[in-house]
Amino acid sequence: MTLLLKQIFGFVKLLNSETGTNQIAAGIAAGFVLGMTPFFSLQSILIFLCLFLFRVQIGAAFIAAFFFKFVAYLFDPAFDSIGGMILQMHSLSGVFTDMYNMPIVPLTRFNNTIVMGSGVVSLILAPFVYLGSRIGVIKYRATVVARIKGSKLWHALKATSLFKWYYKYDQLTHR
Amino acid sequence: MTNSPIDDATPTNTLPKPKGPIRTGAVIPTVILLLICFVFFHFFFDWSFKRALTWTGSHFYGAEVDIHSLKTSFWRGSIQIRGIELTDKQNPALDFLRIGEIHFGFLWDALLRLKFVVNNAGVDGIALYAPRVHPGWLKPSPKPSSGKTLKSNTSAESIGNSVVSQVKKLSPGDTLSGLAGLLQGTKQEALVKDLQGGLKSEARIKELQTEITQKQKEWQQKFAALPQKKDFINLINRAKALKFNPRNPKQFAENLQQAAEIKSELDQKLKQIKGTTDAFQSDVRNLTAQYKGIDQLVQQDIADTEASLHIGNLDAKTLTQALFMNWLAQKLGAYAKYMSLAREYMPAVKKSSSKKSSKSSGFFMAHARSHGRTFRFPITTGYPLFWLKRADISSKATASGFSGNITGSLTNVTTDPAIVGQPAVLDVKGDFPKADVYKIHLNVTINHVHKPLDTMKLSVGSYPVSAMKLVNSSSLHLGLKNAEGNSLIRAAYNDQTLNFNLQNTYTNVIYNIRSPSTQVKQILDQILTGITTVTLDASATGSLDHLNIGMNSNMGSALANGLRRYVQQQLNELQAKIKSTIENRIAGSKEQLAKQMGAAQNQFEKLLNSKNSEVRSAQNAILHQTTGRGSSLNNAANQLKKAAQHLLKGLHF
């Protein structure tokens, strides 16, 4: 829980800084794929492994996954139709039969309509989500963050000794 | 504001060095985690797994199970278990079964599909009844579930217990102890004690007496409500008062109406009396039948008293059942338990799943789910969850140990026989020279591919029998001290029907007979000394909750014939005494009941007869009145007719 909170605080901090735009965007895209997957399966483990090994903002991924989990529920009927259509494609039946009889691959539960539908849709949309969230983060920084930094309240807060003390502490911990 | 720490720091001095796409900080935790996993699996996993197997095995088997060593290999997917010891539940100082080594390896191809497939396993160094270093732990036996039905509790253990208790119920009880008591003369005292309790016939007589008293009250009430003599006289007087004068047509019509009313009232009263008579006769018939039923209850009381004194019939069947039924119950219970276990863990294909399998050979098969649908594709390389393809069983006897010369195999043990398409077969042959057990041949086939059909054939050419208890009571201990056994068991459990046959022969038998009575001991010694070979043929057929047991033994016949010479007279005397005691005890009350019934019947029959005679006389009187008037009416009509004819003649018509 502490680790999760740390990641979420890290996300908020990074979002309000001037760096890590790609990390945040990649995290949101990964969270999007994670949130769209209905069950805990092999591909979920693979995404978690990527989050762990690559410099992707984990907090962003978690928040995005949490958000998209609710959104995905609304699209389940559509995923079911798309997944069913793909799984029943005659031209792919040989491939699916081979995959079904392979070791490990059935653990992805690709033969479930919602897993297949949501997987295909989320993989297709993931680059767009990445680009969209990148643009969104840049615009957020340019408008919202800049406006906050220009406000009197922010200046007053910066002048307090508590803020100075925190800033020093933060610099020391990240050195 | 320009001196803000942020403004000072941000531009150049504290700008963090750009980091690459790989999270290098995660490498060390990952390495540590992997290292911990490696250390656990390398040093502690085998120990933990051994402990888990020992604990689970002990609780599952019901007695201590020990494992000396266990070795696993991740890369080879293999397990080697050495020194498996299963404590004997009857004698915890011995191991019922000891296996020197079991080794097998799982197929990685199946493991990657989360399935466990063993191509070939080996079982070596099998020993029976080897002494343990320390006595083994025994799991406390559960309370018998006699009151529960098989359906309500379907676990294998409870099915076994249920079969045991059911077969034990068929036992005639400790008949031999009863007969021994009869020889000692203790049964006469026990009879007096036993009869101090209530008798069913006696209780029934008391119930009937109360019922008759109650009925008497009811009858009295009903008879009081019947029409009285004055009612009939009133009706007769009313009938007499009728004139039927044809010259007064109005009065004539009124009299006719009154006559009809009188007749209707009489009919009603007749009906009431008839109803009461019928009800009374029905009650009398019912009470008479119940009175006759007392004789059956007397017979029941005699049988119950005989049973409580354990003096059953002196026939071969009863004595054979008394000797061997409990022993057979244990064998059947164990068989039922293990067959139920096999059905639980190796389930036969069900009707619904057979449809699935037939469809799965097609192109697509889908079934609805709460979240989406799961498609099934044809299985070209599939495995059941667990499949032991073949295990070779071999063992060589050693001079020092208790191991035997065993060869055999166990094939196709699986959790899904429908996929494998082959029955599980255990075929073992061999000898245990150290334990004097020779020519064992065990063949067990568990065929759950379609409908369940489990068969077993076990033959043991020769095995030692020692301290086999047949009767164990305060008045008699009877058993086989030493003997050489020979056994053949055939069993088939088809769907829900069991067919079990057992043929045992015990040769060179030395009996163990102990009794506080020297006479009993001498008699049994004399009877059994000549019988050095004991045969036992037993069969059990039917469903597990309703087994028909058949049993035959020359020991039962010999005891029946032998005891008959010594005990028959005492037995007859005691049976006669029981009969006379019970009959005498209830004779008084039975006679009193008969008198009470007779008196009540006579009293009310007299009343009914008088009522009937009253009715008849009233009926006759009223009939006389109405028919007498009727004849005068007819005469008047005739006279009128003649006058009319005369008048018509005068008018020349």
Side-chain angles (χ1 to χ4, degrees):
Chain A
M1 194 64 190
T2 316
L3 198 71
L4 188 71
L5 286 173
K6 197 180 170 187
Q7 289 298 329
I8 291 165
F9 288 142
F11 166 65
V12 175
K13 197 176 154 190
L14 201 65
L15 191 66
N16 293 311
S17 72
E18 288 165 6
T19 56
T21 317
N22 289 335
Q23 287 177 34
I24 294 170
I28 291 170
F32 170 71
V33 177
L34 211 58
M36 289 293 175
T37 310
F39 316 115
F40 188 79
S41 52
L42 198 66
Q43 56 268 41
S44 307
I45 297 171
L46 203 69
I47 292 166
F48 275 114
L49 207 68
C50 288
L51 288 175
F52 189 65
L53 291 177
F54 294 100
R55 204 171 294 282
V56 178
Q57 225 297 313
I58 295 173
F62 284 158
I63 288 170
F66 183 77
F67 171 73
F68 285 115
K69 205 81 185 167
F70 289 100
V71 179
Y73 178 75
L74 300 171
F75 293 103
D76 267 356
F79 292 151
D80 180 56
S81 303
I82 294 166
M85 200 176 68
I86 295 167
L87 286 168
Q88 290 179 84
M89 282 172 76
H90 197 76
S91 55
L92 291 174
S93 67
V95 177
F96 289 143
T97 305
D98 286 347
M99 284 166 72
Y100 194 71
N101 287 286
M102 274 180 186
I104 300 175
V105 179
L107 301 179
T108 59
R109 302 176 75 169
F110 75 91
N111 55 327
N112 182 273
T113 50
I114 292 181
V115 173
M116 176 58 84
S118 65
V120 168
V121 169
S122 60
L123 283 175
I124 291 169
L125 293 180
F128 299 103
V129 171
Y130 171 78
L131 290 172
S133 44
R134 196 172 185 279
I135 293 164
V137 169
I138 291 166
K139 283 206 168 178
Y140 168 80
R141 283 172 179 168
T143 54
V144 181
V145 176
R147 190 175 291 174
I148 289 169
K149 281 189 174 174
S151 68
K152 287 179 180 175
L153 185 71
W154 175 253
H155 287 296
L157 191 70
K158 268 206 311 185
T160 59
S161 55
L162 183 72
F163 184 85
K164 286 172 188 169
W165 175 83
Y166 171 74
Y167 187 78
K168 206 113 192 152
Y169 166 79
D170 191 51
Q171 273 190 323
L172 285 170
T173 51
H174 286 87
R175 199 159 273 178
Chain B
M1 294 303 279
T2 50
N3 292 330
S4 156
I6 298 175
D7 297 338
D8 293 344
T10 43
T12 51
N13 295 343
T14 58
L15 192 69
K17 191 183 169 186
K19 293 170 180 175
I22 306 291
R23 205 188 287 273
T24 47
V27 173
I28 292 170
T30 310
V31 169
I32 290 169
L33 192 73
L34 289 173
L35 203 67
I36 289 168
C37 286
F38 174 78
V39 168
F40 172 76
F41 279 98
H42 193 75
F43 294 106
F44 302 107
F45 178 73
D46 289 356
W47 178 83
S48 317
F49 193 33
K50 189 183 97 172
R51 290 295 298 266
L53 275 181
T54 307
W55 189 88
T56 314
S58 298
H59 282 81
F60 185 75
Y61 171 64
E64 187 172 329
V65 174
D66 294 310
I67 293 170
H68 284 195
S69 71
L70 187 145
K71 201 174 175 184
T72 57
S73 167
F74 178 78
W75 301 115
R76 288 193 296 273
S78 65
I79 298 176
Q80 184 188 49
I81 309 171
R82 283 185 174 163
I84 302 170
E85 296 177 1
L86 275 73
T87 305
D88 184 17
K89 290 177 191 173
Q90 311 299 327
N91 184 2
L94 300 178
D95 279 330
F96 160 67
L97 176 68
R98 192 177 281 180
I99 299 170
E101 184 181 315
I102 292 179
H103 54 89
F104 53 89
F106 291 109
L107 278 183
W108 260 111
D109 182 48
L111 281 175
L112 289 173
R113 298 162 206 262
L114 288 180
K115 305 287 165 66
F116 303 91
V117 177
V118 177
N119 254 341
N120 205 334
V123 182
D124 301 315
I126 298 167
L128 288 179
Y129 297 105
R132 290 179 60 84
V133 178
H134 59 84
W137 167 84
L138 292 179
K139 188 180 177 183
S141 56
K143 287 177 185 174
S145 55
S146 56
K148 291 178 182 175
T149 58
L150 286 177
K151 281 182 183 175
S152 66
N153 195 346
T154 52
S155 72
E157 191 81 37
S158 66
I159 286 173
N161 289 336
S162 170
V163 168
V164 170
S165 63
Q166 186 206 143
V167 176
K168 277 185 176 176
K169 270 184 198 168
L170 298 173
S171 168
D174 203 356
T175 307
L176 271 165
S177 296
L179 293 171
L182 193 65
L183 282 166
Q184 290 169 46
T186 55
K187 290 294 159 187
Q188 304 283 345
E189 298 159 19
L191 173 64
V192 178
K193 263 189 187 175
D194 194 71
L195 287 179
Q196 278 173 356
L199 294 171
K200 283 177 188 168
S201 52
E202 203 171 38
R204 190 76 193 108
I205 287 168
K206 278 180 186 164
E207 278 173 22
L208 272 176
Q209 282 174 337
T210 317
E211 199 177 333
I212 288 168
T213 313
Q214 204 177 341
K215 284 282 172 196
Q216 273 179 309
K217 281 180 189 167
E218 280 177 29
W219 292 339
Q220 270 168 357
Q221 283 173 358
K222 280 183 182 174
F223 277 69
L226 286 176
Q228 302 299 313
K229 197 173 180 178
K230 61 178 182 184
D231 298 326
F232 294 116
I233 291 168
N234 185 28
L235 280 179
I236 292 165
N237 291 337
R238 278 169 63 194
K240 278 179 182 172
L242 298 175
K243 300 293 181 198
F244 295 112
N245 185 4
R247 288 177 190 168
N248 188 348
K250 191 188 169 193
Q251 193 191 23
F252 188 86
E254 281 173 3
N255 285 349
L256 269 178
Q257 197 180 350
Q258 282 170 5
E261 281 172 8
I262 291 165
K263 192 178 175 297
S264 166
E265 280 180 41
L266 186 69
D267 285 347
Q268 275 181 3
K269 291 185 190 324
L270 267 172
K271 204 175 171 184
Q272 194 183 354
I273 291 167
K274 194 176 179 300
T276 309
T277 310
D278 288 348
F280 171 73
Q281 283 171 348
S282 166
D283 282 345
V284 168
R285 275 198 299 275
N286 186 27
L287 286 169
T288 311
Q290 288 191 54
Y291 179 79
K292 282 179 184 168
I294 291 170
D295 291 339
Q296 286 177 351
L297 286 174
V298 170
Q299 296 304 319
Q300 177 83 49
D301 282 331
I302 292 168
D304 288 350
T305 311
E306 285 181 6
S308 68
L309 295 171
H310 300 298
I311 48 161
N313 293 328
L314 258 181
D315 59 66
K317 189 184 168 189
T318 308
L319 289 178
T320 304
Q321 287 182 345
L323 286 169
F324 295 104
M325 194 63 100
N326 288 349
W327 175 85
L328 182 70
Q330 299 299 332
K331 302 284 169 201
L332 283 171
Y335 180 75
K337 178 187 163 184
Y338 289 113
M339 285 299 110
S340 303
L341 271 177
R343 290 193 178 186
E344 195 177 332
Y345 289 98
M346 300 172 69
V349 64
K350 288 176 187 170
K351 279 184 182 174
S352 56
S353 54
S354 68
K355 278 182 186 173
K356 275 182 187 174
S357 62
S358 64
K359 278 190 175 180
S360 67
S361 59
F363 180 55
F364 288 117
M365 210 287 287
H367 65 263
R369 281 181 42 142
S370 55
H371 295 290
R373 290 161 290 143
T374 299
F375 282 76
R376 286 192 181 183
F377 297 91
I379 295 172
T380 53
T381 321
Y383 300 106
L385 182 63
F386 176 78
W387 183 14
L388 170 63
K389 286 185 178 178
R390 185 181 174 87
D392 289 315
I393 302 164
S394 67
S395 177
K396 287 280 174 198
T398 56
S400 57
F402 287 79
S403 54
N405 296 312
I406 296 288
T407 54
S409 63
L410 176 64
T411 53
N412 295 318
V413 178
T414 175
T415 50
D416 200 340
I419 290 181
V420 174
Q422 296 284 329
V425 179
L426 170 68
D427 192 84
V428 183
K429 288 177 187 176
D431 308 307
F432 289 89
K434 189 86 178 176
D436 284 333
V437 181
Y438 296 97
K439 290 183 183 172
I440 298 172
H441 186 191
L442 172 66
N443 185 288
V444 180
T445 304
I446 298 170
N447 189 346
H448 293 178
V449 177
H450 301 294
K451 279 187 177 177
L453 172 62
D454 309 322
T455 58
M456 183 191 83
K457 185 185 171 188
L458 170 66
S459 63
V460 186
S462 170
Y463 62 96
V465 177
S466 61
M468 183 178 173
K469 289 175 187 170
L470 299 175
V471 180
N472 190 16
S473 71
S474 57
S475 57
L476 179 66
H477 291 273
L478 172 63
L480 308 187
K481 192 177 181 182
N482 282 309
E484 194 180 308
N486 169 296
S487 184
L488 174 64
I489 298 173
R490 290 169 197 269
Y493 188 29
N494 176 14
D495 210 5
Q496 290 299 316
T497 311
L498 175 71
N499 199 332
F500 182 91
N501 283 290
L502 176 143
Q503 289 173 311
N504 272 13
T505 308
Y506 304 100
T507 51
N508 303 323
V509 176
I510 298 169
Y511 297 95
N512 180 15
I513 304 166
R514 280 183 289 132
S515 172
S517 161
T518 324
Q519 189 196 4
V520 171
K521 192 177 178 316
Q522 278 175 353
I523 289 169
L524 289 175
D525 271 336
Q526 279 174 13
I527 294 169
L528 296 173
T529 303
I531 306 165
T532 53
T533 300
V534 174
T535 59
L536 171 65
D537 297 336
S539 67
T541 51
S543 59
L544 288 184
D545 52 356
H546 192 264
L547 284 171
N548 296 314
I549 306 290
M551 212 177 250
N552 186 28
S553 169
N554 67 335
M555 192 176 172
S557 307
L559 281 169
N561 293 331
L563 283 171
R564 205 169 281 139
R565 287 202 299 274
Y566 298 98
V567 187
Q568 191 64 61
Q569 199 185 337
Q570 284 101 315
L571 186 63
N572 291 344
E573 280 171 11
L574 185 63
Q575 281 173 336
K577 191 170 181 182
I578 291 167
K579 196 181 173 195
S580 65
T581 310
I582 291 172
E583 282 177 349
N584 289 339
R585 182 161 150 179
I586 64 156
S589 51
K590 195 180 170 188
E591 197 182 332
Q592 198 184 343
L593 177 69
K595 275 182 186 168
Q596 192 184 352
M597 271 180 74
Q601 200 175 346
N602 286 337
Q603 181 197 345
F604 290 106
E605 269 177 357
K606 268 182 193 170
L607 268 169
L608 271 176
N609 289 338
S610 74
K611 283 287 165 211
N612 280 322
S613 64
E614 281 171 15
V615 170
R616 271 196 299 274
S617 61
Q619 203 174 14
N620 289 336
I622 290 165
L623 201 67
H624 176 73
Q625 286 296 320
T626 50
T627 49
R629 299 285 174 172
S631 61
S632 65
L633 195 68
N634 284 339
N635 290 338
N638 287 336
Q639 282 174 10
L640 194 67
K641 196 178 173 184
K642 277 178 186 173
Q645 279 174 352
H646 184 72
L647 186 67
L648 286 170
K649 220 177 194 179
L651 291 169
H652 301 288
F653 275 97

